[in-house]
Amino acid sequence: MELRHIKYFIAVADELNFTKAAGKLCISQPPLSRQIKELENELGVRLFERNNKKVTLTEAGKYFKNEIVSQLQGLESIVLKTRKISENVNGEYSIGYISSTFSVKISELVQFLTEKYPFLKIKLYEVSSAKQILALEQNKLDLGIIRAPLISTKINSKLWFKDSYSLVFNNNLIKNVEGLAEVKDQVFVFFNKDYAPVYYNSLVQICSQYGFIPNIVHESNNINSIIQLVRNGLGVSIVPSSIKNCHRYSELSFLDLGSTLTTDVLITTPKKVESEISDSAISFLLE
């Protein structure tokens, strides 16, 4: 079995059409059919059911596809890790973060790493916590800044800081607010539920502790957009208290909801990957 057999098999399995798969691979259909037949003969199983109307995967074909894709992802991770070891401190370094944690400290981190490793190319990605976790597991990110919870056996983490929550509202439209329950009838602006489901649910839970379910009309996957919507009078929101230092507008007020409601911000790295850069970055952030 050669790598080209796997490549051709995955193309047909994805398209379930030999003509389309051949076009995708930039080869003609007869050689593709021969390669698939060779693979089936070597395995001693039928991977596809074929007739004039359609192509489908057999049960054995479905299993083979799932396992092969998983193995190829593992191989890709090994290749990426090998390149990073080879590049050492002269290649690329990828940092993931969520918009609600971007701060002056992260900008200072980039400056610190640039000065310490002048040949290093740093890439910043604003990515949800869930997608960061997957990227870290596959060695596609070197460092991630996420919100708990973290459930993974392939990632190391350190607590960066505990963040409390604050109600944010337009003080030109809403006056004399002393508690969250006082805005229970207002329109709420939250993070998108599909983008950050755990964080979304935590905000709903906070509201329920104050005796109401929020009327969530607007959603966004970016903290800056949420702040601007509130600033423009389109609703109120609950945000991490740490972000108020980056959003000082005269028409906005932040009401701290207390230290009993907190969210953990974690610094994460792939397990079993030794990195001088990551060690330096983590030390800097924890100073």
Side-chain angles (χ1 to χ4, degrees), residues 10 24 29 58 79 84 104 120 130 134 138 140 190 237 285:
I10 291 176
K24 184 178 178 180
Q29 184 176 334
T58 64
V79 170
K84 290 183 185 299
V104 173
L120 187 67
L134 180 61
Q138 297 177 349
K140 293 180 179 179
F190 272 14
S237 189
L285 291 173

Side-chain angles (χ1 to χ4, degrees), residues 39-90:
L39 178 60
E40 289 179 323
N41 290 339
E42 184 170 348
L43 293 174
V45 299
R46 183 182 290 275
L47 298 172
F48 296 99
E49 293 291 351
R50 313 165 179 81
N51 57 45
N52 292 332
K53 294 184 178 180
K54 63 179 181 178
V55 176
T56 59
L57 282 163
T58 64
E59 288 303 313
K62 292 177 184 177
Y63 171 79
F64 188 68
K65 180 186 177 184
N66 289 337
E67 292 299 312
I68 284 296
V69 169
S70 176
Q71 293 297 323
L72 287 177
Q73 288 175 344
L75 178 60
E76 183 182 3
S77 176
I78 292 170
V79 170
L80 287 171
K81 182 177 176 181
T82 301
R83 286 175 180 167
K84 290 183 185 299
I85 292 172
S86 174
E87 291 167 353
N88 194 12
V89 297
N90 298 317

Side-chain angles (χ1 to χ4, degrees), residues 110-165:
V110 175
Q111 183 177 2
F112 165 76
L113 292 176
T114 300
E115 291 174 355
K116 187 167 185 177
Y117 307 103
F119 300 105
L120 187 67
K121 184 177 181 180
I122 299 172
K123 292 189 173 183
L124 281 176
Y125 298 96
E126 182 185 315
V127 190
S128 69
S129 292
K131 289 185 177 180
Q132 281 192 62
I133 290 170
L134 180 61
L136 287 160
E137 289 179 335
Q138 297 177 349
N139 289 303
K140 293 180 179 179
L141 272 183
D142 299 293
L143 184 81
I145 298 174
I146 68 172
R147 289 192 184 273
L150 168 63
I151 302 173
S152 175
T153 59
K154 299 178 180 180
I155 299 174
N156 289 322
S157 68
K158 291 182 181 292
L159 176 66
W160 187 13
F161 63 90
K162 284 186 173 290
D163 207 352
S164 60
Y165 293 97

Side-chain angles (χ1 to χ4, degrees), residues 62-263:
K62 292 177 184 177
Y63 171 79
F64 188 68
K65 180 186 177 184
N66 289 337
E67 292 299 312
I68 284 296
V69 169
S70 176
Q71 293 297 323
L72 287 177
Q73 288 175 344
L75 178 60
E76 183 182 3
S77 176
I78 292 170
V79 170
L80 287 171
K81 182 177 176 181
T82 301
R83 286 175 180 167
K84 290 183 185 299
I85 292 172
S86 174
E87 291 167 353
N88 194 12
V89 297
N90 298 317
E92 293 183 351
Y93 190 77
S94 300
I95 301 174
Y97 68 94
I98 48 179
S99 64
S100 59
T101 61
F102 191 81
S103 63
V104 173
K105 191 69 174 179
I106 296 179
S107 297
E108 291 174 347
L109 171 63
V110 175
Q111 183 177 2
F112 165 76
L113 292 176
T114 300
E115 291 174 355
K116 187 167 185 177
Y117 307 103
F119 300 105
L120 187 67
K121 184 177 181 180
I122 299 172
K123 292 189 173 183
L124 281 176
Y125 298 96
E126 182 185 315
V127 190
S128 69
S129 292
K131 289 185 177 180
Q132 281 192 62
I133 290 170
L134 180 61
L136 287 160
E137 289 179 335
Q138 297 177 349
N139 289 303
K140 293 180 179 179
L141 272 183
D142 299 293
L143 184 81
I145 298 174
I146 68 172
R147 289 192 184 273
L150 168 63
I151 302 173
S152 175
T153 59
K154 299 178 180 180
I155 299 174
N156 289 322
S157 68
K158 291 182 181 292
L159 176 66
W160 187 13
F161 63 90
K162 284 186 173 290
D163 207 352
S164 60
Y165 293 97
S166 290
L167 170 70
V168 59
F169 58 94
N170 185 312
N171 53 45
N172 292 328
L173 302 174
I174 306 174
K175 306 288 186 180
N176 304 319
V177 177
E178 297 182 359
L180 182 59
E182 295 177 32
V183 297
K184 65 180 181 180
D185 296 325
Q186 296 289 330
V187 166
F188 277 77
V189 185
F190 272 14
F191 267 94
N192 183 273
K193 186 175 183 179
D194 294 330
Y195 180 81
V198 174
Y199 191 70
Y200 178 98
N201 290 332
S202 70
L203 300 187
V204 175
Q205 184 179 3
I206 289 171
C207 292
S208 68
Q209 291 177 7
Y210 280 81
F212 70 96
I213 300 300
N215 177 24
I216 304 163
V217 175
H218 307 298
E219 296 183 13
S220 174
N221 60 5
N222 182 279
I223 193 67
N224 299 309
S225 299
I226 290 173
I227 291 296
Q228 291 304 320
L229 289 171
V230 174
R231 187 183 177 197
N232 291 335
L234 293 173
V236 302
S237 189
I238 300 171
V239 297
S241 297
S242 60
I243 66 106
K244 61 186 176 184
N245 294 324
C246 302
H247 298 278
R248 296 185 180 276
Y249 301 105
S250 60
E251 62 266 47
L252 289 183
S253 289
F254 290 83
L255 177 66
D256 197 319
L257 299 179
S259 59
T260 57
L261 303 170
T262 62
T263 171

